[in-house]
Amino acid sequence: MDGLILGLDLCDAYTQLVCGEEEKSWTLPTVICKKKTEDLWLVGEPAYASALAGDGVMVDKLVKLVRKDGTATIGGVKYGGRQLMVQFLIQVLAMAREACHTDHIRQLVIAVPVIETRLLDCLLGCGDYLNIAGKDIHVISHTEGFMYYVLSQKREVWNNQVGMFDLSADSLCYYEMRVQRGLRQSTVLAERERLEESFSLDVLNSGAGARIADRILCSCGSRLLQKKLFSSIFLTGKGFESLDWAREFMKLICNRRKVYAENSLFAQGAMYRAADFLREKSAYPFICICEGRLESSVTMKVLSRDQENQLILARPGDAWYEAATEVDVILDHQDYLEFMIASMDGKKKKNVRMVLEGFPKREEKTLRVRIRLDFPDDRTMAVTVEDQGFGEFFPPSGAVMRQEVML
């Protein structure tokens, strides 16, 4: 089937778009501008040029605007952050559609630094405006993009631990990934740490500033990499577009390690994830644990055909924003529900009992309820229980109960 497979890295400072099969990519500032005298939107460098020429009004920091549910006024018209983000994405995807001579996008995965509910709702809900089916748009964290990029390389690259430094205009972050091999299935764990030692990239414009920045990175590298066996170290971000200023840091990390620099790493990781969504069987046979994924399982004891079983409601590695589950059960001599929450390794377990207050008292095996689980974030489970009645004998009472549980 023809169509584009796209990975997009969306940040406040920049946006990168990678088209898998066409092997094309674009990098542009995350800014949008509307012409004053016509209904025309511009993004990236043309937006800057129009604003500097005085014939357009520019808005930047679009991700932050969406997260804060903010607005911007252009030509006397107030636009919401979501409106501007959607318009920005329309213009960005138009570049890929024009360059690749097709309007059809089969899969789009967007990588963002941190998954936040408002931003997530905006990106997952813009399919109609982008002319993409909602099921074909997914959002992942930078940490997950890093994971999929690394796992797409040769096994020797990730056989042991993998580290990565991301030096952008507004932050310095360290990522680490490791594979835990199991008898049935291996688990990949990745995490991100925003380092306090961050510095402005402007300091690299002077020799003295560059030397200070080099020493800062050396200090971080010594602390984070010591006494660990790494297969490889990756460098990404605008600060690593040139490595001439970081000579001592490079000596440190290159000591008995393979080092790779890749500035479009998150966008490429998102593109690899997009391609995998289209496969019948995943090319990554792992349980993936990282930001945006659940670390625990959620189960219930149920009786089915006179046998007691564990009903799995959520698994470790599920994307929390896609892990909503709905199931109907019939209660037998009990006025409560009980969930078992267990860590991936099974070492931490807890039972959570939810007493059903305000639900009708009925004869045995006639109280049928619908249980819906959803996850506001990767640490919280929300349980909604609703009385469904029981055939013609007992109509639904309207009883509903909701409770949030920390995982």
Side-chain angles (χ1 to χ4, degrees):
M1 184 185 294
D2 294 331
L4 302 179
I5 301 173
L6 302 177
L8 186 128
D9 178 17
L10 179 64
C11 302
D12 264 331
Y14 68 88
T15 293
Q16 292 181 321
L17 179 65
V18 172
C19 181
E21 296 176 343
E22 299 289 337
E23 295 186 352
K24 296 180 183 292
S25 63
W26 297 263
T27 301
L28 64 154
T30 307
V31 296
I32 189 168
C33 176
K34 188 175 188 297
K35 288 281 193 174
K36 293 180 179 178
T37 57
E38 53 185 314
D39 188 21
L40 178 64
W41 295 91
L42 303 171
V43 297
E45 296 297 345
Y48 273 124
S50 178
L52 286 173
D55 59 6
V57 179
M58 190 184 77
V59 180
D60 61 0
K61 300 188 183 303
L62 299 180
V63 175
K64 183 178 180 181
L65 199 65
V66 173
R67 291 175 62 188
K68 293 186 175 295
D69 199 22
T71 61
T73 301
I74 302 176
V77 179
K78 182 182 289 186
Y79 294 90
R82 292 189 176 206
Q83 290 177 279
L84 294 174
M85 177 61 76
V86 169
Q87 190 59 240
F88 175 78
L89 293 175
I90 289 172
Q91 303 302 322
V92 171
L93 296 184
M95 296 188 295
R97 284 172 159 140
E98 181 179 354
C100 300
H101 309 291
T102 179
D103 285 336
H104 180 46
I105 295 177
R106 294 178 65 193
Q107 198 73 211
L108 170 65
V109 172
I110 305 172
V112 295
V114 179
I115 293 181
E116 191 270 343
T117 304
R118 279 181 179 155
L119 180 60
L120 190 64
D121 290 345
C122 170
L123 298 178
L124 293 179
C126 64
D128 288 343
Y129 302 99
L130 303 179
N131 196 24
I132 307 173
K135 65 180 179 59
D136 296 329
I137 301 177
H138 301 269
V139 179
I140 63 174
S141 64
H142 270 183
T143 311
E144 187 167 343
F146 161 62
M147 177 187 294
Y148 274 94
Y149 178 85
V150 173
L151 292 174
S152 299
Q153 311 307 309
K154 295 179 180 179
R155 182 179 291 269
E156 63 191 48
V157 172
W158 48 267
N159 201 40
N160 295 307
Q161 291 189 110
V162 179
M164 184 177 74
F165 292 89
D166 173 22
L167 179 57
S168 65
D170 57 359
S171 66
L172 171 61
C173 295
Y174 174 69
Y175 295 76
E176 193 167 287
M177 188 193 96
R178 64 188 183 277
V179 179
Q180 290 183 349
R181 291 168 176 81
L183 294 176
R184 294 184 178 179
Q185 192 173 22
S186 296
T187 301
V188 184
L189 300 102
E191 53 190 355
R192 165 184 180 268
E193 178 185 356
R194 183 164 180 151
L195 303 179
E196 296 179 354
E197 295 91 338
S198 178
F199 52 85
S200 170
L201 298 186
D202 292 338
V203 304
L204 303 181
N205 295 329
S206 69
R211 287 190 292 274
I212 293 173
D214 194 8
R215 286 198 295 271
I216 291 173
L217 283 185
C218 283
S219 175
C220 294
S222 297
R223 172 172 58 86
L224 294 166
L225 307 180
Q226 63 179 344
K227 298 179 181 179
K228 294 180 181 179
L229 182 61
F230 286 85
S231 296
S232 56
I233 301 292
F234 285 85
L235 304 175
T236 193
K238 186 174 180 60
F240 290 125
E241 288 181 350
S242 170
L243 299 173
D244 294 340
W245 61 273
R247 294 177 182 177
E248 295 304 315
F249 175 64
M250 292 302 296
K251 289 179 184 178
L252 172 70
I253 64 174
C254 288
N255 184 20
R256 294 179 295 176
R257 306 182 188 97
K258 294 180 179 179
V259 177
Y260 305 91
E262 178 52 72
N263 282 330
S264 62
L265 185 146
F266 297 123
Q268 289 194 50
M271 182 269 294
Y272 289 130
R273 184 71 179 109
D276 200 54
F277 275 119
L278 297 173
R279 298 187 180 101
E280 289 186 11
K281 184 177 181 181
S282 174
Y284 308 91
F286 309 98
I287 298 173
C288 297
I289 304 295
C290 63
E291 181 187 347
R293 303 266 190 143
L294 297 176
E295 297 182 13
S296 305
S297 64
V298 182
T299 59
M300 284 181 64
K301 286 183 181 180
V302 297
L303 196 65
S304 177
R305 297 180 180 178
D306 297 324
Q307 288 189 336
E308 190 175 88
N309 297 303
Q310 290 286 347
L311 177 63
I312 300 173
L313 301 173
R315 291 179 171 86
D318 288 348
W320 58 262
Y321 53 88
E322 295 179 342
T325 302
E326 195 171 86
V327 61
D328 285 6
V329 299
I330 297 174
L331 301 182
D332 185 14
H333 293 102
Q334 67 181 59
D335 61 352
Y336 64 89
L337 299 171
E338 191 165 71
F339 304 93
M340 176 179 285
I341 301 172
S343 60
M344 184 180 57
D345 57 13
K347 293 181 179 179
K348 296 181 180 178
K349 295 181 179 180
K350 67 176 180 179
N351 290 335
V352 176
R353 178 169 290 195
M354 182 176 179
V355 178
L356 300 179
E357 299 176 352
F359 280 68
K361 305 294 182 182
R362 296 194 183 124
E363 299 174 14
E364 60 181 83
K365 297 183 180 180
T366 60
L367 181 57
R368 181 167 65 96
V369 297
R370 178 161 296 164
I371 304 169
R372 177 176 173 81
L373 262 64
D374 58 81
F375 299 84
D377 55 54
D378 57 357
R379 301 289 181 183
T380 311
M381 175 179 74
V383 184
T384 303
V385 185
E386 183 177 2
D387 176 29
Q388 295 296 297
F390 197 83
E392 298 178 356
F393 301 101
F394 300 102
S397 65
V400 179
M401 185 176 177
R402 180 180 170 85
Q403 181 174 318
E404 290 195 353
V405 178
M406 296 301 296
L407 297 176

